[in-house]
Amino acid sequence: MSELRRETRLRTFLKGRIVFNNGNSSMDCLVRDISASGARLMLSQTATLPDGFDLVIPAKDRTHKATLRWRKADSVGVTFAEEAVRPPSAPDATPAVLLARIRELEAENASLRHQLKEAEAVILGRGL
């Protein structure tokens, strides 16, 4: 069988999630090999997949727009429509942004600790 891929795929063993139907449907998969332009996925379910879906790979912190190319038994081949992107919820990870976020969370943590002490004092003061 001749190789039709433009790029060599690297063997992997990564957990993936197929998301479709505007995010209302999803299923787990195993990414068995991957390249910049596509992947082979193993599925435990025999559900029908749409022609296009998002492939989320948490270990790589990436989401790919995938197009179904072939299916055999419990595996499918997909191509990626575009360069992988970070999920929309992922913050910009520059050091300055991270330091600002740490300061913000530390201030929030201190405020919550203060509120917790006040609530404990009120409860203990009332003998509840």
Side-chain angles (χ1 to χ4, degrees):
M1 186 162 110
S2 64
E3 180 64 48
L4 299 176
R5 294 185 190 106
R6 290 173 283 173
E7 301 170 337
T8 303
R9 289 192 178 170
L10 303 173
R11 292 192 184 275
T12 63
F13 194 79
L14 299 171
K15 179 182 177 183
R17 186 122 188 108
I18 296 170
V19 180
F20 55 100
N21 193 17
N22 293 322
N24 293 317
S25 302
S26 66
M27 68 177 65
D28 290 326
C29 67
L30 186 62
V31 182
R32 293 298 298 163
D33 58 49
I34 192 167
S35 72
S37 62
R40 179 172 55 99
L41 312 175
M42 301 294 291
L43 306 172
S44 60
Q45 301 168 337
T46 58
T48 303
L49 288 176
D51 290 336
F53 52 85
D54 289 334
L55 173 61
V56 180
I57 305 175
K60 298 275 188 185
D61 194 25
R62 294 284 186 251
T63 299
H64 296 273
K65 295 283 186 194
T67 302
L68 186 62
R69 291 295 176 208
W70 57 263
R71 181 174 195 136
K72 293 181 185 173
D74 61 351
S75 63
V76 297
V78 299
T79 56
F80 300 142
E82 56 191 49
E83 185 67 27
V85 295
R86 289 186 180 273
S89 60
D92 184 8
T94 63
V97 170
L98 291 175
L99 285 173
R101 182 68 176 139
I102 288 170
R103 287 188 197 108
E104 180 182 304
L105 290 171
E106 287 174 341
E108 183 180 352
N109 192 7
S111 173
L112 290 171
R113 285 179 191 250
H114 180 71
Q115 290 176 12
L116 181 58
K117 284 184 182 181
E118 287 178 345
E120 288 174 343
V122 168
I123 291 171
L124 293 175
R126 292 187 181 164
L128 298 175

